[in-house]
Amino acid sequence: MADLGSLVAAALFLSFALYRALIIWRGSDPAQRYIAGFAGCMGAAMLFRAPVVMSALRDLAPLDTVVMLVTHELKSFAHVLLLLVGLSLRPAGPDRGAQRRQLRLAAAVLVTGAAVLLMAGVRAESGLATAPPDRRWFLAVYNVLFAAYGTWCLLVLTRELVRQTRQVAAGPMRTGLRLMTFAALLGIVWTLWVLTYVPMNLTQGLHTASEDAVCSVLGAVTAALATGGATATWWASASGGPLAAPGRWLSAYRRHRALEPLWSALRTELPQIALDPAAPRRPVLWRAEFDLYRRVIEIRDGHLALRPYFPADATGRAAPDGTDGTVVGPAGPVGPVGPGDRSAEVRAVVEAATIAAALEGKRAGRAPAGVHSSSPVSQQIAGTVAAEVAWLLLVTAAFVSSPEVAAARVRARTDATGLQDGPRSR
């Protein structure tokens, strides 16, 4: 298990380092170089500390102590590079003075760590590092220093990744940043795992010269998350990445399900809008884009079929408090709907309230009054099917949860009841 985890982690890190090196061959921003260097250092450390590699090297020469020292220093330097990545992601850009200070601190930590490990008088044999009884505490100090500095570097990186994630819109880039954040958090756990060796260091003067099973698994998962996050803009790219199609299918499936409350209400009263009455309510994932398009058409057909039932003053009644219905009513084309478009949200409330009132009138058996000249028409969305879906998602959200829509629904139900009771009262 330890061999497999270490070798998988090494392969992922080294492959990614080569991939980044080919990309930045002709120059790039410093953060990309730091990331490539981190992957190379960590990959080499994991490779040489794999038990099978340590065993092979042991057959050639007694290099366990040297390999342990070199691999620990490679891991520490990898942490330094992650710290530099975090510093380069700050809003003000890389601070050369701060980078120089951090490099001096990193050099001091690396030199101190190597000196402490050498002063411990460690001798590595058969996968275990041993220190003389009077020098065991040096081994413990080294592990504490490694864990403390590595964790601090990863915390700086995590903070900057979280800040970057909040500023990026949903998409492959944000997915990648999230994966890298998870990798950094898991890397902290991986780094702190070395503290579990401290009791053994102090009581027995022992330390594993190669990776144990837990470290190997943590390393492999961290490597997978880090490389996946750093390459997310490629494998999740809408322009042809290997996960582009599944990503579109999943997005279409979620939007198809999100439109169901509005579609279901229309379909119940107007079954004739169904283009395929036998179609399942939940689409097959790889057909979700087609089914989403069909659902949009059915909702629009339902809206048109309800127009004779629209109250003449539907737009004015549905306008939220403090707004003028003639201003926010559904008239005229709009562009793609953004998440912060307050005017689009208000217009969506008006359209949802109009549909809700018409459904109540039809459900109560009110005779169609014909299409009034003042009857609102559905928003005409300029652009793509995606913009149409974005608009209908706003309408559906208002149809389900808006208090203005609920009030319009109750008033329409009351009006319908009054029409039914009127003849009996006379």
Side-chain angles (χ1 to χ4, degrees):
M1 185 66 175
D3 278 331
L4 179 62
S6 294
L7 293 175
V8 168
L12 287 171
F13 278 128
L14 291 174
S15 298
F16 176 69
L18 178 61
Y19 165 73
R20 297 310 304 175
L22 293 174
I23 290 178
I24 65 176
W25 183 260
R26 296 185 179 180
S28 68
D29 63 279
Q32 296 296 327
R33 293 194 292 272
Y34 298 147
I35 292 173
F38 157 76
C41 290
M42 193 61 75
M46 294 297 293
L47 177 62
F48 285 109
R49 288 201 53 164
V52 64
V53 176
M54 291 284 288
S55 177
L57 292 174
R58 194 179 303 121
D59 293 339
L60 298 175
L63 298 174
D64 285 20
T65 303
V66 175
V67 170
M68 187 177 72
L69 177 61
V70 170
T71 54
H72 272 79
E73 293 298 282
L74 282 173
K75 281 188 174 183
S76 296
F77 190 65
H79 288 147
V80 176
L81 293 171
L82 287 182
L83 175 65
L84 294 176
V85 172
L87 294 177
S88 66
L89 293 177
R90 288 181 172 175
D95 183 339
R96 300 302 179 188
Q99 287 183 347
R100 284 193 292 270
R101 290 192 297 272
Q102 293 303 327
L103 286 173
R104 287 194 290 267
L105 174 61
V109 170
L110 292 173
V111 171
T112 301
V116 169
L117 196 59
L118 291 173
M119 285 189 291
V122 173
R123 293 292 180 269
E125 296 179 1
S126 302
L128 284 176
T130 62
D134 60 335
R135 299 187 181 184
R136 294 173 180 174
W137 66 275
F138 281 108
L139 197 56
V141 167
Y142 175 79
N143 284 327
V144 171
L145 178 64
F146 173 82
Y149 183 70
T151 300
W152 181 69
C153 293
L154 286 164
L155 285 173
V156 172
L157 175 65
T158 301
R159 181 185 62 188
E160 297 305 322
L161 288 173
V162 169
R163 184 188 59 77
Q164 288 280 336
T165 302
R166 290 174 178 170
Q167 297 177 354
V168 175
M173 177 65 75
R174 188 171 187 175
T175 300
L177 288 170
R178 284 177 172 172
L179 288 175
M180 293 180 70
T181 302
F182 292 147
L185 292 173
L186 190 59
I188 292 173
V189 177
W190 182 22
T191 302
L192 290 175
W193 185 257
V194 75
L195 295 179
T196 62
Y197 302 147
V198 171
M200 183 171 63
N201 300 155
L202 294 173
T203 59
Q204 304 174 53
L206 297 178
H207 187 77
T208 57
S210 57
E211 296 289 326
D212 64 18
V214 175
C215 274
S216 297
V217 171
L218 288 173
V221 177
T222 301
L225 289 173
T227 54
T231 57
T233 53
W234 170 71
W235 54 257
S237 171
S239 62
L243 294 185
R248 292 196 310 271
W249 297 341
L250 183 58
S251 177
Y253 180 86
R254 293 172 59 188
R255 284 163 172 74
H256 184 278
R257 295 290 294 158
L259 291 175
E260 180 152 352
L262 179 59
W263 172 85
S264 181
L266 292 168
R267 169 77 182 272
T268 299
E269 292 300 320
L270 302 163
Q272 68 272 19
I273 67 172
L275 298 176
D276 182 4
R281 297 178 75 92
R282 294 191 177 187
V284 179
L285 186 61
W286 54 86
R287 285 176 47 89
E289 290 178 288
F290 173 77
D291 289 341
L292 175 63
Y293 182 56
R294 181 175 59 200
R295 177 154 288 188
V296 169
I297 294 173
E298 291 175 346
I299 290 174
R300 286 308 196 188
D301 287 347
H303 188 281
L304 290 173
L306 281 177
R307 287 191 69 192
Y309 296 91
F310 288 169
D313 60 343
T315 300
R317 288 205 246 176
D321 293 340
T323 63
D324 180 355
T326 60
V327 174
V328 301
V334 297
V337 179
D341 190 347
R342 177 60 185 165
S343 62
E345 292 177 359
V346 173
R347 295 195 302 272
V349 169
V350 174
E351 183 162 323
T354 303
I355 294 173
L359 284 171
E360 289 297 329
K362 186 178 186 306
R363 189 176 296 117
R366 189 183 73 198
V371 179
H372 301 280
S373 59
S374 60
S375 295
V377 296
S378 176
Q379 282 282 359
Q380 301 300 311
I381 305 299
T384 63
V385 174
E388 179 85 9
V389 172
W391 168 252
L392 290 179
L393 286 172
L394 281 180
V395 176
T396 302
F399 185 81
V400 172
S401 59
S402 171
E404 287 84 7
V405 174
R409 186 180 288 116
V410 170
R411 182 170 179 180
R413 191 179 302 137
T414 302
D415 290 349
T417 302
L419 289 173
Q420 291 174 349
D421 293 343
R424 289 196 295 270
S425 65
R426 289 193 296 270

